[in-house]
Structures are given as C-alpha cells and as structure tokens.
Amino acid sequence: MKIVSTKDNLQILHEDNHIIVVNKRVGDIVQGDKTGDKPLSEIVKEYIKEKYHKPGEVFLGVVHRLDRPTTGIIVFARTSKALTRLNELFSNRETQKTYWAVVKNKPPKTEDNLVHFLKRNEKNNTSKAHLKEVSESKKASLDYKIISALNNYFALEINLHTGRHHQIRAQLSAIGCPIKGDLKYGFDRSNPDGGIHLHARKLVFIHPVTKETLEIIAPTPNEVIWNAL
C-alpha cells in the first residue's frame, strides 16, 4: 500500500534552526507543479508551523529536487541565510550524493565510470544518453558499483559527478540496465506503488551555518526488494 507524506508522518532525518532534511516517499513532489498536488515543501511548512506554534507564514526554501517516483534525501532551508549558502553548495557541487538503484540485467562491469551526453526532450519529459556530444546536449558523469545481487535484480551504488535531468535513469538505461519500475526508460512493468527503485541514500555536506560536516543517510522504503538489501 502506498503511504502519502503528511505533516504527521514525515520522515525527518535531521532538523535544526537552519535546515530540515526529509526522507521523501514515492509520489511526493518536492515543489508545486501543474498537477496541483500538495508538494512536500507545503507539508513541511505545516509540520514546522504546528510543531513550533509559528504565527503567520513559515519560511522554507527548496534547495534541490528528486523525481516524483524516486525516494530519499531532500534538504530544505529554514532561513534565507541557509538557503543562499545551500544553493551555492549544491550549484558548485560541494556535496557528495550517493544513490542506490535496483536494475534488471547485470551491468557490463562490476564497477565503472559512465560518461554520456544527455539531451533533454521537453515534450515527453525524458533525457536521451548519447556516447558523443550532440546539439544541445550536456555532459553527464557518474560512478557505479554492484553492491548486491537479488534474485533477478542487481543493486547498484551510484555516485553522481554532475546533476542532469533524469541522469541516473537515462545513463543506466543506456547500458541496458533500466531501473526497476521505470517504464519511461525501458523497464517492462511498473511497480505497484507507481514508483521506481531509485533512492537518494546518502548526502554529505557542510552545514550552511555551523560549518560542521553532516552525513545523512536515508532508510530505504519498507518494500520487499529494498528490504532484501
């Protein structure tokens, strides 16, 4: 059964006066979009308002996003000062992002660096991975390694070097390893909850105010294949 995030069941991974870090569920949208569904940013605002009895509008800055069908770590800023500094950290890639993915088919190598040139198609909201540069493409790079073999699937740990649209989904699909449940990128059937087996597992960054190094790890969803990991 699919659980939807509300102010009462948020999975908070870290919280202080400056930032709040949440474990996003399948189907949560980080920021409002054309669907009109309530975004995670609004749910977190409701949580803060209620917990701290805040009158008036609650400030919350969106720093980065995850695709709707994915799960894992999302950082929000609770002050404008934290937002400015976090935006710099993320845009300068001064963060270490580690993802877990479950794919069908064994990758060609146990571990590898993948470099592609991704071209985005706005019409169908996908990105296509090319081996050589094409017009309007952007270079995309990641490292992967196999961390587990599960029945018919393989679990990969992925470290991103660039942050392109649908990067992990497109690059893994390009080597014949679509992510479980990802119909858009070549998997043959959807997951029951409509999600895909891609999880933002770990994030290491410097706290925007205290300057301490934070390492945040998000538990995987409570689901058969994730649990097998």
Side-chain angles (χ1 to χ4, degrees), residues 42 45 49 54-60:
E42 289 302 316
K45 277 185 188 179
K49 191 177 179 73
K54 283 192 173 283
E57 186 68 22
V58 171
F59 177 90
L60 193 76

Side-chain angles (χ1 to χ4, degrees), residues 93-113:
R93 305 211 62 76
E94 292 168 27
T95 57
Q96 282 173 267
K97 296 178 183 175
T98 304
Y99 289 78
W100 281 1
V102 175
V103 299
K104 79 167 184 179
N105 305 329
K106 188 175 184 180
K109 297 179 182 173
T110 310
E111 53 185 275
D112 201 7
N113 168 247

Side-chain angles (χ1 to χ4, degrees), residues 4-15:
V4 181
S5 289
T6 68
K7 67 178 170 54
D8 302 312
N9 71 2
L10 274 178
Q11 302 177 84
I12 309 285
L13 302 172
H14 175 92
E15 182 179 358

Side-chain angles (χ1 to χ4, degrees), residues 100-107 109-110 145-157 224-229:
W100 281 1
V102 175
V103 299
K104 79 167 184 179
N105 305 329
K106 188 175 184 180
K109 297 179 182 173
T110 310
K145 66 178 178 187
I146 300 173
I147 52 172
S148 182
L150 313 157
N151 300 332
N152 307 317
Y153 303 107
F154 293 87
L156 311 181
E157 184 168 279
V224 178
I225 290 178
W226 282 128
N227 291 344
L229 266 175

Side-chain angles (χ1 to χ4, degrees), residues 16-185:
D16 61 41
N17 290 336
H18 310 283
I19 63 174
I20 183 164
V21 186
V22 176
N23 192 5
K24 172 181 138 28
R25 292 183 168 95
V26 164
D28 290 343
I29 42 170
V30 177
Q31 224 174 358
D33 67 2
K34 60 181 182 290
T35 62
D37 296 343
K38 185 188 274 189
L40 199 52
S41 53
E42 289 302 316
I43 294 163
V44 174
K45 277 185 188 179
E46 288 175 359
Y47 162 85
I48 291 169
K49 191 177 179 73
E50 187 173 284
K51 180 174 179 179
Y52 300 101
H53 309 292
K54 283 192 173 283
E57 186 68 22
V58 171
F59 177 90
L60 193 76
V62 176
V63 180
H64 64 126
R65 294 168 192 78
L66 285 176
D67 300 338
R68 189 162 191 172
T70 64
T71 54
I73 297 168
I74 287 286
V75 181
F76 294 103
R78 290 192 55 197
T79 62
S80 54
K81 179 175 163 185
L83 178 61
T84 303
R85 291 185 179 168
L86 284 169
N87 281 339
E88 284 171 8
L89 277 180
F90 276 80
S91 64
N92 297 335
R93 305 211 62 76
E94 292 168 27
T95 57
Q96 282 173 267
K97 296 178 183 175
T98 304
Y99 289 78
W100 281 1
V102 175
V103 299
K104 79 167 184 179
N105 305 329
K106 188 175 184 180
K109 297 179 182 173
T110 310
E111 53 185 275
D112 201 7
N113 168 247
L114 300 182
V115 177
H116 291 93
F117 294 88
L118 296 193
K119 182 165 181 173
R120 186 166 179 175
N121 181 335
E122 300 279 357
K123 278 198 186 119
N124 61 12
N125 191 33
T126 58
S127 286
K128 184 164 173 56
H130 300 267
L131 288 172
K132 295 200 169 107
E133 197 167 356
V134 297
S135 155
E136 294 175 22
S137 64
K138 290 179 176 173
K139 188 176 181 181
S141 170
L142 62 78
D143 292 327
Y144 77 79
K145 66 178 178 187
I146 300 173
I147 52 172
S148 182
L150 313 157
N151 300 332
N152 307 317
Y153 303 107
F154 293 87
L156 311 181
E157 184 168 279
I158 294 142
N159 286 304
L160 276 183
H161 305 307
T162 52
R164 306 301 182 202
H165 175 256
H166 289 185
Q167 177 177 339
I168 297 173
R169 298 166 68 179
Q171 286 197 272
L172 292 181
S173 176
I175 61 164
C177 300
I179 294 170
K180 185 178 182 302
D182 198 357
L183 297 178
K184 237 175 202 183
Y185 288 94

